[in-house]
Amino acid sequence: MQTNDQRTAELWIRPIRDGLREEHQSLVVRLERLVREGYLDDVCMRTWNHNVDVETDTAPTQRDALIRERLAAFRQWARREGVELPTLDERATVGSGRMGPAHDTVVLPQTLVAVFRGDDVEAVYPHERRGKMKTVADWVEDAESALGIDADQIDI
């Protein structure tokens, strides 16, 4: 991440076997337009699996270590802002028998966007504030509206 005050976004997705799903393709196009229009300085797409181990002391891969680090930062932001991250609340126990000892995991959402100002988390979508959900689509639509972009006119 940058150490300056650039606004960047990370799009975290759980891809299907054959690549991006249609809604992810549309979202990528819309995020790239936010970069071209100057709302964001950069956008990075990252992928994650269905779940990530949160129980063992060491992450098995660098990717899992990054995911754990981001989840901790997202939760810290949520506590600071007084919001909930319901898509990060689901847990599952995996691994038994041939898969090794059972361990707890966080079930990761299909889509999540984190907005950063420099190295600091500025926002995470989706989130819930006072019982009202703010989705990734809500944030993108708000950003497009601030720029005067008609979302219905975006070519994919």
Side-chain angles (χ1 to χ4, degrees):
M1 297 284 350
Q2 297 83 10
T3 57
N4 56 26
D5 282 339
Q6 287 190 326
R7 178 186 276 167
T8 61
E10 287 183 354
L11 168 62
W12 287 89
I13 64 165
R14 206 172 38 186
I16 60 173
R17 226 173 284 183
D18 298 332
L20 299 179
R21 293 170 43 161
E22 185 176 318
E23 67 268 18
H24 289 140
Q25 291 172 341
S26 173
L27 182 55
V28 168
V29 168
R30 293 172 80 179
L31 291 173
E32 288 172 346
R33 183 155 187 193
L34 292 178
V35 172
R36 282 193 313 274
E37 296 291 331
Y39 189 83
L40 295 171
D41 294 294
D42 197 14
V43 65
C44 172
M45 187 173 71
R46 299 184 184 273
T47 61
W48 50 23
N49 295 326
H50 186 267
N51 51 31
V52 65
D53 180 358
V54 294
E55 187 176 87
T56 57
D57 290 336
T58 58
T61 66
Q62 287 183 328
R63 180 174 170 216
D64 284 351
L66 175 63
I67 292 169
R68 285 173 151 191
E69 176 186 307
R70 289 298 197 256
L71 291 176
F74 300 162
R75 286 190 175 104
Q76 183 178 21
W77 170 82
R79 281 190 301 276
R80 187 174 64 242
E81 293 295 316
V83 300
E84 302 291 324
L85 299 174
T87 60
L88 298 180
D89 287 342
E90 187 178 347
R91 302 276 178 150
T93 301
V94 299
S96 60
R98 294 183 319 203
M99 299 300 291
H103 57 278
D104 287 332
T105 65
V106 170
V107 177
L108 300 167
Q110 185 70 42
T111 308
L112 180 141
V113 169
V115 181
F116 292 85
R117 180 69 73 172
D119 289 333
D120 298 323
V121 177
E122 184 175 275
V124 177
Y125 298 91
H127 68 261
E128 188 174 316
R129 184 184 308 267
R130 293 184 285 282
K132 185 171 188 241
M133 183 64 82
K134 188 78 165 178
T135 67
V136 170
D138 293 332
W139 172 73
V140 172
E141 289 169 10
D142 290 348
E144 290 170 341
S145 178
L147 293 170
I149 296 172
D150 182 359
D152 293 333
Q153 300 300 316
I154 296 176
D155 294 325
I156 300 174

